[in-house]
Amino acid sequence: MFAITEYSVEVIKDPFGILTGTRYEFMLDLDVPEEDELHTESGVYLRVVYSVEEGRERIVKYEFFERQSNQYLDFEMDEEEEKQIDAFCKERVLEAV
């Protein structure tokens, strides 16, 4: 399991009004244990698109990246990690308002 060390959050602008609700982009710097297959020497960050619509919050999309090169890493979160990230985003989504 990884730990979140730093983060930023911004509202995603929808100039065409295509999206319902409000979308947020979270950038989460992660501390990944060395024994985890996701671990890289230069670090990892997670980009999360989070939706808030009519009182329902959820992760729409997420992507892992290698911190130094910004290279996409093809990994999926397990259920426990996804719950951790969902709870983290849910708690902090109001900061972007």
Side-chain angles (χ1 to χ4, degrees):
M1 180 95 117
F2 46 75
I4 300 165
T5 58
E6 292 183 37
Y7 75 96
S8 65
V9 59
E10 293 183 11
V11 175
I12 298 175
K13 302 204 185 311
D14 180 19
F16 301 106
I18 297 170
L19 302 173
T20 58
T22 305
R23 304 286 168 106
Y24 300 87
E25 179 183 60
F26 282 84
M27 301 298 274
L28 310 173
D29 286 334
L30 305 178
D31 181 20
V32 180
E34 285 187 33
E35 62 274 1
D36 193 309
E37 63 183 338
L38 181 59
H39 177 79
T40 68
E41 287 299 317
S42 62
V44 174
Y45 71 91
L46 178 64
R47 177 184 175 266
V48 179
V49 175
Y50 198 75
S51 172
V52 176
E53 182 178 0
E54 297 178 11
R56 181 173 175 238
E57 299 91 8
R58 66 186 178 92
I59 295 172
V60 175
K61 179 181 179 178
Y62 66 85
E63 301 165 313
F64 289 100
F65 293 91
E66 197 266 341
R67 186 176 296 138
Q68 192 169 16
S69 68
N70 290 323
Q71 179 180 351
Y72 172 75
L73 302 172
D74 190 15
F75 285 93
E76 291 187 21
M77 290 189 278
D78 63 31
E79 186 177 334
E80 187 177 324
E81 291 168 335
E82 195 162 341
K83 284 180 183 178
Q84 172 195 5
I85 297 302
D86 185 64
F88 182 90
C89 293
K90 186 175 188 172
E91 288 175 16
R92 289 158 181 85
V93 76
L94 294 178
E95 294 176 14
V97 177

